[in-house]
Amino acid sequence: MAKSNRGKPLWKMQSRGRGTCPICNATRIKLLYDIVNNEGENLKVCKRCQKQKI
Ligand SMILES: [Zn+2]
């Protein structure tokens, strides 16, 4: 798999891969990880919340 979380591909994403983490509410952080919450929704979270349970 390509390194979709690093380098150039990030710049094609909305806001260049950065945003506000829905879990820790850190702003302008890179949202690199897809997780699924209790309701089956896909969320983009930062690295700090990657392993966190919601
Ligand atoms: Zn976070």
Side-chain angles (χ1 to χ4, degrees), residues 7-48:
K8 282 270 171 63
L10 275 181
W11 289 67
K12 291 176 189 167
M13 294 167 63
Q14 237 184 1
S15 60
R16 292 177 178 166
R18 287 179 191 266
T20 303
C21 176
I23 309 223
C24 62
N25 287 317
T27 54
R28 293 169 60 204
I29 203 164
K30 281 196 275 185
L31 304 176
L32 301 181
Y33 304 94
D34 278 311
I35 57 164
V36 181
N37 70 7
N38 291 334
E39 283 139 38
E41 291 176 308
N42 262 322
L43 294 176
K44 285 273 191 190
V45 299
C46 68
K47 63 182 174 186
R48 292 190 295 197

